[in-house]
Amino acid sequence: MKFSEGSPAEFLLSADERAQLVSWSRGSSRLAVRAQIVLRCAEPAVVYAQVATDLGVSAMTVGKWRKRFAESRLEGLVDAGRTGRPKGGLVLTDIEREQLTRWARRAKTSQALALRARIVLACAEDTSNKRVAAGLGTSVSTVGRWRRRFLESRLEGLADELRPGRPPSILLDRVEEVIVATLESTPRNATHWSRASMAERTGLSKSTIGRIWQKFELKPHIQDSFKLSTDPQFVEKVVDVVGLYHHPPEKAVVLCVDEKSQVQALDRTQPVLPMMPGMPERRTHDYQRHGVTSLFAAFDIDDGTVISSLHRRHRAVEFKKFLVKIDKAVPPELDVHLVCDNYATHKTPAIKAWLGRHPRFHVHFTPTGSSWINQVERWFGHLTDKLIRRGTHTSVQALEADIRTWIQTWNEDPKPFTWTKTADEILNSLAKYIARISGAEH
């Protein structure tokens, strides 16, 4: 709309309108500018170009709001609510709400699906995408997309659409060739396949060989160890020992007993270089031997304390001395249950005679070749890792002194182990393993 510079105002303001416009005109908001325009246009002999110049707006803006006021009075100056694109009503059935709640709360649900479920649940309570997005920390477009997808396809709409991608470049017969060659053959000049040697044999790239092996969990470069017990009483002994761990008898102490023999006092041929920033501790690969000692240990499964004794040899004589030490250390009113292996020194006539004279001692033998079931072996591992493996000793006496100090420190803050597997779980796991390695390929 175009106005001449000298066109007169064509409307009058009532007292109430003028008062409201004056109230709105205070400030710098859009409504304040519009109120100022109308107040100036209501003056006699107004020049719109001058009004526009004085208020810093265009002459078209002045004409627009003068016309809006003339048509709708005060209501014409106020912005109408912006409703945006209308949203479809989102109402959930009980089954849908239950499924969405499970998706949103289950720990194993993918995080993308969990977020979509939370979006739909929130949209069922609130029609504003902005408020839902702010509450869930996501974008408004994401909320709008999954609201629309749910309204179109309900629960199925929240799943990812199939993405076919490009067709595989390696056919299944080539994949089968790699798997069969890996499992049933070895290279001529090595004991196991590498990615390079398999790639040379099959004509595929090394990265392709690596992806195939990763997909089928094949690791030719890794070799693990195993030992199956041949003890004819394996099942009975496992049930006995594991039952003792889970349900120790009342008024009794359960001790896991064994000896760590041939502990060497080793000294490096050159001084150990200490750790420094950017450089680990370093030591020579060769060493000097200064003798050996043997550690007898009894690990209390209840509180983790250890009864120990050091001897230069590990015969039945030394084991009998260790039993005497245990007898003195354990209160006389308690029975003593010993878990030990089938070492010959544990079964000599002298040991059997001593046990016969001490009826409170009860021996539980572990199966042959199954030291993993004796908890003191795990404690020996701690001792080796923390002291012996990286220790340097110039004499057996120095080694024994360090071992005694370490055990004393351990007993000041002992840590018992928690045996979690039941006998049935151990035997079932072993049965599955035996069935797996008993096929024709083995």
Side-chain angles (χ1 to χ4, degrees):
M1 183 179 292
K2 188 174 182 180
F3 300 92
S4 64
E5 293 187 357
S7 58
E10 298 179 357
F11 58 85
L12 299 175
L13 300 177
S14 67
D16 292 340
E17 289 175 335
R18 185 177 294 277
Q20 184 63 64
L21 290 169
V22 170
S23 175
W24 285 348
S25 66
R26 300 187 181 99
S28 57
S29 64
R30 293 179 178 179
L31 183 58
V33 174
R34 298 167 190 171
Q36 294 169 13
I37 290 174
V38 174
L39 288 172
R40 290 291 302 274
C41 289
E43 296 176 358
V46 64
V47 178
Y48 298 128
Q50 186 61 43
V51 173
T53 301
D54 294 344
L55 297 179
V57 297
S58 66
M60 184 177 293
T61 300
V62 173
K64 170 185 174 181
W65 293 109
R66 176 196 175 282
K67 179 182 178 183
R68 289 276 291 274
F69 183 83
E71 293 175 349
S72 306
R73 311 307 289 180
L74 292 175
E75 289 79 0
L77 304 185
V78 180
D79 288 324
R82 300 181 180 180
T83 58
R85 183 181 299 174
K87 304 177 184 64
L90 199 157
V91 179
L92 301 176
T93 65
D94 293 340
I95 296 177
E96 289 173 338
R97 186 178 296 277
E98 182 180 354
Q99 182 63 62
L100 290 169
T101 303
R102 283 201 300 266
W103 284 347
R105 292 180 178 176
R106 281 176 52 192
K108 293 185 179 180
T109 301
S110 69
Q111 292 306 301
L113 181 58
L115 175 60
R116 297 165 194 172
R118 288 194 291 269
I119 287 174
V120 175
L121 287 171
C123 288
E125 306 296 333
D126 194 336
T127 59
S128 172
N129 287 351
K130 288 185 177 180
R131 287 194 293 268
V132 172
L136 296 177
T138 187
S139 65
V140 178
S141 61
T142 299
V143 174
R145 179 189 311 120
W146 295 110
R147 177 196 288 269
R148 183 180 66 255
R149 287 275 294 273
F150 182 81
L151 289 173
E152 293 173 354
S153 306
R154 310 306 291 181
L155 293 175
E156 290 78 4
L158 302 186
D160 289 320
E161 296 178 347
L162 295 178
R163 299 177 181 180
R166 67 181 182 88
S169 57
I170 307 300
L171 299 179
L172 291 179
D173 58 343
R174 301 300 305 278
V175 175
E176 182 181 6
E177 178 187 355
V178 173
I179 300 303
V180 171
T182 304
L183 294 176
E184 299 182 2
S185 66
T186 57
R188 290 181 299 174
N189 58 346
T191 59
H192 59 278
W193 292 103
S194 66
R195 293 198 306 170
S197 60
M198 182 57 71
E200 182 179 358
R201 181 189 187 283
T202 60
L204 302 174
S205 66
K206 291 187 290 185
S207 60
T208 299
I209 299 298
R211 287 194 297 272
I212 294 174
W213 282 351
Q214 183 180 21
K215 180 69 174 178
F216 290 88
E217 298 184 359
L218 294 175
K219 301 175 182 179
H221 64 288
I222 294 180
Q223 184 183 54
D224 205 349
S225 60
F226 81 102
K227 175 68 175 179
L228 293 178
S229 175
T230 57
D231 195 324
Q233 295 181 325
F234 176 81
V235 174
E236 292 82 355
K237 290 180 179 179
V238 168
V239 172
D240 179 35
V241 174
V242 175
L244 201 62
Y245 290 160
H246 284 288
H247 305 287
E250 296 182 357
K251 296 182 180 181
V253 60
V254 179
L255 301 176
C256 294
V257 177
D258 203 358
E259 55 268 359
K260 186 174 180 63
S261 60
Q262 302 294 317
V263 184
Q264 299 187 74
L266 302 178
D267 186 22
R268 302 293 162 175
T269 57
Q270 295 178 9
V272 176
L273 300 179
M275 177 178 59
M276 295 189 299
M279 186 180 78
E281 179 184 87
R282 293 181 176 178
R283 62 184 61 223
T284 60
H285 69 280
D286 53 347
Y287 48 82
Q288 295 175 339
R289 294 185 178 92
H290 295 284
V292 297
T293 188
S294 295
L295 170 64
F296 291 76
F299 180 85
D300 190 336
I301 68 169
D302 181 52
D303 58 11
T305 57
V306 175
I307 302 171
S308 63
S309 183
L310 288 163
H311 298 280
R312 299 299 171 85
R313 303 178 70 177
H314 57 286
R315 303 167 299 175
V317 174
E318 286 75 24
F319 184 65
K320 180 179 177 180
K321 292 179 181 179
F322 184 54
L323 291 177
V324 172
K325 185 173 184 178
I326 294 175
D327 188 30
K328 294 179 180 179
V330 177
E333 67 274 10
L334 297 179
D335 284 350
V336 181
H337 291 261
L338 302 180
V339 177
C340 56
D341 59 21
N342 293 271
Y343 192 44
T345 57
H346 301 163
K347 298 180 177 181
T348 62
I351 298 299
K352 292 180 179 179
W354 188 93
L355 292 172
R357 294 192 301 271
H358 297 78
R360 71 172 182 145
F361 278 73
H362 309 274
V363 181
H364 305 261
F365 290 107
T366 62
T368 304
S370 302
S371 59
W372 49 267
I373 205 172
N374 197 334
Q375 293 192 31
V376 74
E377 297 291 348
R378 176 61 266 176
W379 182 82
F380 282 149
H382 276 299
L383 174 64
T384 302
D385 293 338
K386 302 295 184 181
L387 176 67
I388 296 175
R389 180 174 289 116
R390 292 173 61 173
T392 56
H393 302 93
T394 57
S395 66
V396 176
Q397 291 81 1
L399 171 62
E400 291 178 341
D402 280 354
I403 292 176
R404 290 190 182 97
T405 301
W406 192 89
I407 295 175
Q408 181 180 357
T409 303
W410 171 275
N411 285 333
E412 291 173 358
D413 184 23
K415 297 177 177 61
F417 304 134
T418 301
W419 191 273
T420 58
K421 289 282 189 179
T422 65
D424 287 340
E425 290 173 334
I426 294 172
L427 296 175
N428 289 336
S429 176
L430 181 61
K432 291 179 181 178
Y433 178 71
I434 293 175
R436 187 172 183 181
I437 65 174
S438 298
E441 64 273 17
H442 294 285

